[in-house]
Amino acid sequence: MPGLLHKLVIVAAADGILLQPSPLRNQRPSAGLQISYRTNSIVPLGENQTDNSKGVQTLEAHGIVGLFTVASSSYLISISSRQQVAQIRGKPVYVITGVHVIPLSSQSDAKKAIDLSNANSKKAANRVSAGLASDSDTSEDENEDIEYGQTSNTEDDDPTIPHTPEADKSEAPVNQGAWEKSSSVVQDVIGRKGQYGRFAEKWFSKKGWSVEKRRMQGMSEADIEKSGNNSRKAPGTEDTAASEKFPDTLTEASDEQDQRQEIKEVQTDPSTVPDNLTPKLLKTTKMLLSSHSFYFSYDYDITRRLGTNQTKNSDIPLHKSVDPLFFWNRHLASSFIDAGQHSYVLPLMQGFVGQRAFTVDTESKDPSRMVAVAKENPGEIIELQNNASSAKDFRASSETRDFLITLISRRSTLRPGLRYLRRGIDSEGNTANYVETEQILSEPSWSPLARIYSFTQVRGSIPLYFTQSPYSFKPVPVLQHSYEANHAAFRRHFTNFINSYSNVQVVLLVDKQGVEAKIGEEYEKHTNELNNESGINGVKLGFEWFDFHNICRGMKFENVSILMDSIGSMISEFGTTIEKDGKIQRGQSGALRTNCMDCLDRTNVVQSACGQRSLEEQLKSEDITLSLQADTSTQWFNTLWADNGDAISKQYSSTAALKGDYTRTRKRDYRGAINDFGLTLSRYFNNIVNDYFSQAVIDFLLGNVTDRVFSEFEADMMSGDPAMSMRKVRQSAIDTSSKIVIADQDEDFLGGWTLLCPKDPNTLRTFPFEEIVLLLTNTAIYAVRFDWNMEKVAGFERVELKSIVGIMKGIYITSTLAAAQTDEERNVGFVVRYRPGQKDVAKINTRSLSTAVAPRKEEFDEARRTREGGGRAEAARKGADDEGVQDDEALGDLQKRMTNAGNFESSSPSTHLPKDPKPKANPKDVDKSIEFKTLAFKALPADSSFASVSRDGSEGQDHTERELVQTVCEEIAKAIGGDALGGKRVVTREGLVRETRGIIEEGDIISLAEARKSTGLLEQLGHSLKKLVWA
């Protein structure tokens, strides 16, 4: 295969970043590349441009990870440090220990990043030379909060030290006492830009309140600073006193239209939304890639197991021969692939690679004492291989034999992510935490005269749709979707599995009692049904349910031997892959698929036991009888599997594996239990705090989502699952709803849409908003409440078309906490105003039927109590203070505007609360006082963060939010018929020609100004605290 670059030099030139390869020994220098600023175009350099690095500050790298773009900024990721962890067939295998992230916005920004990286590398080298332990996770990230593009305070600023004006002013002389410093605690916190610097700057500084308030209006930091500078008057002007007294408040007298235009201009900048989280994105990216989880080799394909590798002398570039299932930086490297620069494309694999060497005393008669020497240090193992490969005789003596065991775990790029955010299966049959683990036994020399053995097993989440809450120590698995949908995905998963491994033995380790039992029973039920259907192409699934916690109760993990006795025959039947003389003599005929709930702790114990049994059988075929379970010197084997388990666990749950003490020592005591409790607490913290943003970053770097995922995260502090095809799910919901709720055979179904709707009926702003299904027939509309988890109708409300008296469409802003939520072009909706009739019904999932003609006596009494109590008790119960009252006022005002603008009259502008100070005793009068009702709908985001939108259009909508609202309103008006649509020319009795107006009116449902007023201080504070924790 064409050679990959082992080392290169990065230079910040005038027109772009230069990548200059460093030739290996006896190798001719090759031309480099130039990555242009802004455009990111990659072009080869001419021969006369190869020496541009002379006299310029450069940065050395061991390879290129790739490029990524967020908003309008692009970044180059290169490998700054690596560590060799193994050697396979004489080819080194490395793990990434550090990366450079260089902006491609301008030469000055690139230079600053290069200077900062060089300074951090120098600092790390000094720490190593001084004998200090280096923390690779933090040593290079101290200044990650510095945003590229910022100007320095002084020309002599050290790029490694962030300076602020507050810090410079408060700097005290060396001999000054602590009590004599003029800086306050608040200034120190803000000036140092520590962990709570952003929060302190917003809530303790004078302009922090103003900045936070204006940011709630959707303005970026640059525009806040600009507007702040423009609002400051020069001393002596007539507004000086006022500005000094109220420097941070927005005056109510400011023109609303000007504010709206200002915010609209800010929102058109594509970089406004993601820029708030760009520093955190860069830091998380660097931390993720430097977490000792990504492995690569310049000359060997580590993504494919033995027997599936490409030929050694292939001319195919490495990135084309690797298994795409385990090619983690394929999206990041796509720019280099498209440019045809194959030598720059270095495939990365997430997982684990480790080796152990051991020497067997063939003369020993005791199977439990046959291992004479074992090596665990990677340096010693690599040296052993080099010495063995250079020796003429690959066997040292007839009394001893040297062996090498290599363990490779490969994490799938399909349905990737973190513990409780990625569970179960997706519609394509991919499961979360899917990891292929291969155990290779060979001679240290990798001589073709000796056999090479390979044993592969797999772990993966339970192949059903389910979720678990991250806010519980023992979360209950919640099954999702219908049985048919689960079985279809289940079948697809095992079809893919059997196509890869030929056969399968399922090992299920969940509890048979308690919260895990139900999902285990569902797994078994789907397995039995699949086998009753003759399996997959005639291959049936083996299934073994081992209640790990019950059988191994009391820390008796040695009882796993019971499971080994049960599935041992299947392991032997599957066998191992054997290679000799470069040819495959035998292939493994099946694979074990092991899982518990997380596929971590219990799975690690069982997989190591299976690997141990396979190793014993492989050695037995070499005429060596070895009992690893009884041999007290086999810690080398246990630690290898324990390291593997810890690596997989850290990648999925951010902590080391539980039960690691048993995996390492085959013993379990109270110390291990205490350690597991501490790890459990750490997992719990990560599940509810850190994982949400990290999950968004993982999906973004893999190309599963666009950078819009960060604006979604800013609004909700979480992101969706890109593996779920929402278009298919929503279309299925429309189909299901239409079959169930449209009971009259004479009704013609005209269309269906999914929209957002307030939780409570007859309101405009009741959180949380729910995604509902709106159906339209030739006689009625149906607002269907849908259970998206179980794919069932939870309830619906039917409104006859002849009852509709008006439709208002326009701006519908329900929150101002994030920039995306204040975009007036995207936050739109419509309100249907109607007079309840005898045929208008509402049904819920209890099959109860209620009409909407008149309120019941209980509803009237509740309305009177709510009104007399000022609405406070109800609002307090909902935790929204005056939100209920404000919503009534907004809805009442809306109905007034709809009445005044339309051709219909209303007996009252109220909503579900009568506005008369004294309730009427006559029920008929009550009916008149709340005669009109409303249904409010808001358009879903037209463009989602799912990356498939831009590739094949399989996600998202085919039109904008405004176009969707316009279409739905017009379809309803057309169905009503007559003059409802408007636009017709009619002749009056007086002979005048006029155009009918119709029932569709244009106007703000909730304007930006109204949304600001209804967004209270507590709501803003709560969102700020959430951002402090999650963002």
Side-chain angles (χ1 to χ4, degrees):
M1 63 185 67
L4 295 177
L5 296 178
H6 290 217
K7 197 172 184 180
L8 65 154
V9 176
I10 302 174
V11 185
D15 298 327
I17 294 290
L18 304 184
L19 304 181
Q20 182 61 53
S22 296
L24 298 176
R25 184 181 303 174
N26 300 326
Q27 203 176 58
R28 185 180 175 183
S30 58
L33 297 179
Q34 175 178 289
I35 307 175
S36 301
Y37 299 125
R38 301 292 183 182
T39 63
N40 300 339
S41 60
I42 301 175
V43 295
L45 292 175
E47 295 182 1
N48 58 339
Q49 296 177 282
T50 57
D51 295 330
N52 283 351
S53 61
K54 293 182 179 180
V56 181
Q57 185 72 3
T58 62
L59 187 66
E60 291 187 348
H62 298 285
I64 298 297
V65 176
L67 291 170
F68 74 91
T69 300
V70 55
S72 58
S73 302
S74 298
Y75 301 87
L76 172 70
I77 308 176
S78 61
I79 300 172
S80 62
S81 57
R82 66 187 182 183
Q83 179 182 353
Q84 185 175 351
V85 294
Q87 186 168 289
I88 302 176
R89 299 183 187 270
K91 310 298 183 182
V93 178
Y94 300 92
V95 62
I96 297 177
T97 58
V99 296
H100 301 301
V101 179
I102 303 173
L104 300 176
S105 52
S106 66
Q107 183 183 19
S108 61
D109 288 347
K111 281 184 176 180
K112 289 177 184 178
I114 290 175
D115 291 340
L116 184 61
S117 296
N118 283 327
N120 285 330
S121 299
K122 184 177 180 181
K123 186 189 300 183
N126 291 338
R127 289 172 60 88
V128 173
S129 62
L132 300 176
S134 175
D135 186 356
S136 60
D137 290 335
T138 59
S139 61
E140 294 187 6
D141 295 333
E142 296 173 0
N143 302 307
E144 282 299 314
D145 287 335
I146 303 176
E147 296 186 24
Y148 299 120
Q150 292 180 339
T151 57
S152 302
N153 295 324
T154 64
E155 295 180 358
D156 298 330
D157 277 350
D158 185 344
T160 65
I161 303 175
H163 287 292
T164 60
E166 292 86 349
D168 294 337
K169 292 177 182 178
S170 62
E171 187 175 353
V174 177
N175 59 353
Q176 185 178 14
W179 60 89
E180 296 176 316
K181 292 183 179 180
S182 60
S183 63
S184 65
V185 175
V186 173
Q187 288 173 328
D188 287 342
V189 172
I190 297 174
R192 293 175 183 173
K193 298 289 184 183
Q195 183 178 2
Y196 304 101
R198 285 187 298 161
F199 178 76
E201 189 170 16
K202 290 176 183 176
W203 293 98
F204 294 117
S205 66
K206 281 187 176 181
K207 79 169 186 177
W209 292 90
S210 177
V211 170
E212 181 67 10
K213 186 172 182 180
R214 292 180 71 81
R215 193 200 62 74
M216 291 297 182
Q217 299 167 10
M219 299 182 67
S220 66
E221 295 179 6
D223 290 277
I224 291 171
E225 184 67 25
K226 180 179 179 181
S227 61
N229 294 334
N230 293 337
S231 64
R232 297 189 184 95
K233 301 290 184 179
T237 59
E238 58 183 4
D239 293 336
T240 300
S243 63
E244 290 177 355
K245 186 175 181 180
F246 305 103
D248 304 317
T249 53
L250 294 173
T251 60
E252 295 295 333
S254 60
D255 183 70
E256 179 182 337
Q257 189 64 29
D258 291 341
Q259 290 182 13
R260 180 181 298 179
Q261 184 62 28
E262 179 186 19
I263 294 171
K264 188 177 295 185
E265 290 174 358
V266 174
Q267 290 164 349
T268 57
D269 180 9
S271 65
T272 299
V273 176
D275 276 355
N276 298 329
L277 295 173
T278 297
K280 186 175 178 67
L281 166 62
L282 299 178
K283 185 174 183 178
T284 305
T285 300
K286 193 170 184 179
M287 181 179 65
L288 176 67
L289 294 173
S290 305
S291 61
H292 295 240
S293 299
F294 291 90
Y295 297 81
F296 68 91
S297 175
Y298 298 109
D299 308 299
Y300 184 79
D301 183 3
I302 59 175
T303 66
R304 295 186 180 274
R305 62 187 184 276
L306 192 70
T308 62
N309 308 69
Q310 297 288 337
T311 58
K312 294 183 290 185
N313 297 324
S314 173
D315 293 330
I316 301 175
L318 182 60
H319 72 85
K320 290 186 177 182
S321 64
V322 297
D323 191 335
L325 186 63
F326 308 117
F327 187 178
W328 270 76
N329 62 322
R330 184 182 186 87
H331 175 68
L332 294 175
S334 59
S335 297
F336 293 91
I337 295 174
D338 296 340
Q341 301 299 327
H342 305 304
S343 59
Y344 289 83
V345 182
L346 180 61
L348 303 182
M349 179 199 75
Q350 189 182 37
F352 174 79
V353 179
Q355 287 183 323
R356 296 292 187 269
F358 61 99
T359 301
V360 176
D361 183 1
T362 57
E363 300 296 323
S364 175
K365 303 298 183 182
D366 187 356
S368 64
R369 297 183 179 275
M370 294 192 67
V371 177
V373 180
K375 297 182 183 295
E376 299 184 45
N377 183 277
E380 295 179 354
I381 297 173
I382 294 170
E383 183 180 2
L384 174 65
Q385 294 184 66
N386 292 333
N387 294 336
S389 60
S390 62
K392 293 182 179 180
D393 186 3
F394 65 93
R395 292 184 180 178
S397 67
S398 59
E399 298 180 356
T400 61
R401 286 190 63 182
D402 294 332
F403 288 97
L404 180 70
I405 183 171
T406 304
L407 197 63
I408 305 176
S409 284
R410 309 173 178 99
R411 178 176 295 278
S412 171
T413 59
L414 302 179
R415 195 153 179 75
L418 302 172
R419 199 181 180 202
Y420 287 127
L421 304 183
R422 291 295 178 267
R423 307 293 258 181
I425 201 170
D426 64 17
S427 58
E428 299 300 321
N430 306 307
T431 58
N433 200 21
Y434 186 89
V435 181
E436 175 189 90
T437 301
E438 180 183 20
Q439 179 178 286
I440 303 173
L441 178 67
S442 66
E443 301 275 359
S445 62
W446 296 91
S447 171
L449 301 179
R451 294 191 187 96
I452 300 175
Y453 300 87
S454 169
F455 175 71
T456 302
Q457 49 187 326
V458 176
R459 73 178 71 195
S461 188
I462 293 176
L464 298 172
Y465 292 107
F466 75 96
T467 61
Q468 285 180 285
S469 170
Y471 301 104
S472 173
F473 278 110
K474 192 69 173 177
V476 178
V478 179
L479 290 167
Q480 294 181 308
H481 305 312
S482 64
Y483 182 88
E484 292 75 18
N486 273 276
H487 193 69
F490 185 89
R491 169 179 279 276
R492 190 170 291 113
H493 171 76
F494 280 104
T495 298
N496 297 336
F497 192 99
I498 290 175
N499 288 339
S500 298
Y501 303 103
S502 302
N503 212 326
V504 59
Q505 170 65 49
V506 173
V507 179
L508 180 62
L509 304 176
V510 301
D511 299 343
K512 289 188 176 181
Q513 295 85 27
V515 299
E516 298 179 357
K518 183 177 180 180
I519 194 169
E521 293 168 356
E522 286 295 312
Y523 194 175
E524 187 174 31
K525 184 187 301 183
H526 283 281
T527 301
N528 292 335
E529 180 174 340
L530 188 62
N531 287 336
N532 292 335
E533 298 169 354
S534 299
I536 305 295
N537 298 327
V539 178
K540 295 187 176 182
L541 279 60
F543 188 87
E544 182 72 24
W545 190 348
F546 183 76
D547 191 346
F548 188 98
H549 284 154
N550 182 47
I551 298 176
C552 300
R553 187 181 303 276
M555 298 188 292
K556 297 180 180 179
F557 292 164
E558 61 273 12
N559 290 344
V560 172
S561 60
I562 299 174
L563 174 63
M564 291 299 101
D565 293 338
S566 178
I567 65 173
S569 58
M570 186 61 67
I571 295 176
S572 301
E573 182 179 336
F574 288 163
T576 61
T577 298
I578 303 175
E579 177 187 311
K580 187 176 182 181
D581 293 330
K583 299 179 181 179
I584 301 299
Q585 292 186 335
R586 182 178 189 263
Q588 186 173 329
S589 61
L592 295 176
R593 190 195 188 281
T594 308
N595 71 268
C596 45
M597 286 307 302
D598 295 328
C599 307
L600 294 177
D601 313 316
R602 289 170 280 185
T603 301
N604 290 333
V605 174
V606 171
Q607 281 201 338
S608 65
C610 294
Q612 174 183 301
R613 181 186 179 93
S614 176
L615 178 60
E616 291 175 351
E617 291 186 353
Q618 292 165 0
L619 290 173
K620 192 173 183 179
S621 64
E622 294 289 322
D623 298 326
I624 298 175
T625 304
L626 178 65
S627 176
L628 292 173
Q629 183 68 33
D631 194 341
T632 58
S633 64
T634 57
Q635 185 177 1
W636 55 271
F637 180 84
N638 301 334
T639 57
L640 178 62
W641 272 95
D643 291 345
N644 174 73
D646 286 347
I648 295 173
S649 179
K650 288 177 181 177
Q651 294 159 18
Y652 190 56
S653 68
S654 304
T655 72
L658 308 184
K659 305 173 180 65
D661 56 329
Y662 177 79
T663 308
R664 293 179 185 278
T665 64
R666 298 301 174 189
K667 296 180 181 179
R668 182 67 165 169
D669 57 21
Y670 72 93
R671 296 182 184 87
I674 295 175
N675 182 65
D676 285 356
F677 178 72
L679 293 174
T680 301
L681 292 178
S682 297
R683 286 183 180 181
Y684 181 72
F685 176 81
N686 288 319
N687 292 338
I688 64 176
V689 174
N690 294 334
D691 285 356
Y692 289 99
F693 188 79
S694 298
Q695 181 64 61
V697 174
I698 291 172
D699 288 330
F700 174 68
L701 295 179
L702 282 170
N704 296 332
V705 297
T706 65
D707 58 5
R708 181 171 171 77
V709 70
F710 300 110
S711 63
E712 294 176 358
F713 176 84
E714 184 188 36
D716 304 325
M717 297 300 153
M718 60 183 64
S719 60
D721 186 349
M724 300 299 294
S725 176
M726 291 310 300
R727 166 166 286 195
K728 295 180 181 178
V729 171
R730 287 167 177 157
Q731 185 58 51
S732 175
I734 293 172
D735 296 339
T736 301
S737 300
S738 62
K739 293 176 183 178
I740 293 177
V741 305
I742 303 176
D744 192 344
Q745 298 290 339
D746 295 331
E747 285 192 55
D748 295 331
F749 176 60
L750 301 180
W753 304 269
T754 53
L755 301 161
L756 293 175
C757 183
K759 179 182 179 182
D760 295 337
N762 214 39
T763 59
L764 292 180
R765 191 176 181 268
T766 306
F767 293 107
F769 270 58
E770 298 177 339
E771 186 172 345
I772 60 98
V773 175
L774 177 64
L775 303 177
L776 174 64
T777 69
N778 62 329
T779 59
I781 62 172
Y782 297 81
V784 183
R785 306 278 174 172
F786 199 78
D787 186 338
W788 297 93
N789 287 333
M790 300 308 298
E791 296 182 347
K792 295 181 179 179
V793 173
F796 69 92
E797 183 174 356
R798 181 184 188 274
V799 177
E800 286 220 333
L801 294 179
K802 62 183 180 181
S803 300
I804 298 175
V805 298
I807 300 175
M808 175 74 79
K809 66 181 179 69
I811 297 172
Y812 195 175
I813 295 178
T814 56
S815 177
T816 60
L817 297 177
Q821 296 172 330
T822 61
D823 189 342
E824 294 180 339
E825 292 299 319
R826 304 184 61 220
N827 291 272
V828 293
F830 64 96
V831 175
V832 176
R833 187 165 178 262
Y834 66 98
R835 180 185 289 110
Q838 293 293 338
K839 294 185 179 181
D840 296 337
V841 297
K843 286 188 177 183
I844 58 176
N845 56 1
T846 58
R847 300 284 182 184
S848 66
L849 179 66
S850 63
T851 64
V853 177
R856 296 170 297 177
K857 182 178 183 300
E858 296 83 2
E859 294 176 341
F860 174 79
D861 293 339
E862 178 64 22
R864 180 179 61 186
R865 287 194 299 270
T866 304
R867 183 181 66 258
E868 292 175 350
R872 303 257 177 205
E874 181 68 7
R877 180 183 67 82
K878 295 182 180 180
D881 198 25
D882 293 329
E883 182 180 308
V885 177
Q886 293 171 352
D887 190 65
D888 290 339
E889 296 174 352
L891 190 53
D893 178 69
L894 176 67
Q895 292 212 27
K896 283 183 180 180
R897 289 187 279 115
M898 293 179 70
T899 302
N900 295 334
N903 302 320
F904 307 92
E905 294 183 357
S906 170
S907 60
S908 171
S910 79
T911 60
H912 53 290
L913 298 179
K915 297 301 181 183
D916 195 301
K918 292 184 179 181
K920 298 178 176 62
N922 191 340
K924 294 182 179 180
D925 294 332
V926 174
D927 180 27
K928 293 179 181 179
S929 67
I930 56 174
E931 182 177 0
F932 291 98
K933 289 189 176 183
T934 59
L935 287 174
F937 303 98
K938 184 177 180 181
L940 287 163
D943 57 331
S944 73
S945 63
F946 299 163
S948 55
V949 174
S950 58
R951 290 201 296 263
D952 56 18
S954 62
E955 290 295 344
Q957 302 178 20
D958 298 328
H959 34 60
T960 66
E961 292 87 352
R962 283 190 176 274
E963 292 172 346
L964 172 65
V965 169
Q966 180 70 24
T967 299
V968 177
C969 292
E970 289 181 354
E971 290 296 325
I972 295 175
K974 288 179 183 177
I976 294 174
D979 296 337
L981 187 59
K984 293 183 179 180
R985 299 175 64 87
V986 297
V987 181
T988 64
R989 293 179 180 179
E990 293 78 10
L992 300 176
V993 179
R994 68 177 180 86
E995 192 174 277
T996 57
R997 188 167 186 175
I999 65 172
I1000 303 176
E1001 304 164 16
E1002 184 81 30
D1004 293 349
I1005 300 172
I1006 299 181
S1007 66
L1008 185 58
E1010 292 171 337
R1012 288 197 207 107
K1013 293 177 182 178
S1014 60
T1015 303
L1017 181 61
L1018 290 179
E1019 191 175 353
Q1020 295 183 26
L1021 177 60
H1023 186 75
S1024 297
L1025 290 175
K1026 287 173 65 177
K1027 287 195 69 175
L1028 179 66
V1029 174
W1030 280 285

